[in-house]
Amino acid sequence: MQDNKKLPELSKSYPSTGSGRTDFIISLRDLIKDDALIIAEYAGDYDIAKMVATMPHPYSLEDAYAFLDKIKGQIKAGEGHSLAITFDGDFAGSIGWFYNEEHVLEIGYWVAKPYWGKGVACKALALILELVKVECADETEVLGNYMEENPASGRVLEKNGFVRDGRGEDCFSLARGEARPAIRMLKKL
């Protein structure tokens, strides 16, 4: 990332989406070692792990530390940038960009179950896309994949301007130990 680029605001207040609250704040911040325990707790939920290609199940504290070390390496190499999603300051998941095996820019995210249905993923994706425009300024599009059985993730992508680019290939789920049909979506930057 070049020093003269202005980073986007990574926090925004939103009106309630039916959670009974009048408003909430979605923010993105750097992942830190202290996040390992909560990452292990939330990522240990099979309903989350089975929808994330690279998330093992069961998910241990050691897995969380390995994830945090991987993120540090990606950032240092300029190959990705993952951040914590927070809901009113509380850890609610993770989102980031990375270059996949074909060196295509891709977005990935997961949201902890207590925050499902509150618009967290949609708002966090909008924020990370602003960061992608700065950190990946030479890229013209970004890829997002989701498993067919997770249409909520597809809606998150659609609401942020991604369009279906075909069925895509099956996506291997580490937690399941098998591949599942996936949908490939693209967004022009």
Side-chain angles (χ1 to χ4, degrees), residues 81-138:
H81 193 169
S82 290
L83 298 160
I85 302 169
T86 65
F87 181 94
D88 285 343
D90 294 330
F91 184 91
S94 180
I95 190 164
W97 64 265
F98 61 96
Y99 287 100
N100 64 24
E101 295 87 20
E102 291 82 35
H103 201 71
V104 173
L105 179 63
E106 188 169 342
I107 292 285
Y109 55 89
W110 63 270
V111 174
K113 201 181 272 184
Y115 302 98
W116 288 3
K118 298 178 192 256
V120 173
C122 196
K123 308 306 192 246
L125 182 54
L127 291 171
I128 197 74
L129 287 170
E130 291 304 311
L131 183 64
V132 164
K133 290 175 186 174
V134 173
E135 292 187 337
C136 308
D138 294 336

Side-chain angles (χ1 to χ4, degrees), residues 29-186:
R29 64 162 172 79
D30 287 329
L31 288 159
I32 56 173
K33 287 274 188 201
D34 288 347
D35 291 327
L37 191 59
I38 194 77
I39 290 171
E41 178 184 338
Y42 285 146
D45 186 325
Y46 183 71
D47 288 337
I48 293 170
K50 71 181 182 181
M51 296 297 176
V52 180
T54 59
M55 191 176 283
H57 186 78
Y59 195 96
S60 68
L61 186 57
E62 291 77 25
D63 291 321
Y65 283 123
F67 168 70
L68 293 169
D69 287 341
K70 177 183 173 184
I71 297 310
K72 277 187 192 176
Q74 284 180 329
I75 292 169
K76 188 173 183 176
E79 296 173 352
H81 193 169
S82 290
L83 298 160
I85 302 169
T86 65
F87 181 94
D88 285 343
D90 294 330
F91 184 91
S94 180
I95 190 164
W97 64 265
F98 61 96
Y99 287 100
N100 64 24
E101 295 87 20
E102 291 82 35
H103 201 71
V104 173
L105 179 63
E106 188 169 342
I107 292 285
Y109 55 89
W110 63 270
V111 174
K113 201 181 272 184
Y115 302 98
W116 288 3
K118 298 178 192 256
V120 173
C122 196
K123 308 306 192 246
L125 182 54
L127 291 171
I128 197 74
L129 287 170
E130 291 304 311
L131 183 64
V132 164
K133 290 175 186 174
V134 173
E135 292 187 337
C136 308
D138 294 336
E139 297 292 339
T140 59
E141 61 185 17
V142 61
L143 172 67
N145 287 305
Y146 70 95
M147 294 186 192
E148 277 185 359
E149 65 191 273
N150 188 7
S153 190
R155 286 190 299 276
V156 166
L157 293 165
E158 286 174 351
K159 288 178 182 179
N160 279 280
F162 284 76
V163 294
R164 192 171 173 157
D165 186 43
R167 179 175 176 271
E169 296 181 7
D170 286 353
C171 180
F172 184 81
S173 166
L174 188 59
R176 297 174 199 226
E178 65 182 17
R180 298 297 252 218
I183 305 292
R184 175 185 159 109
M185 297 185 77
L186 291 171

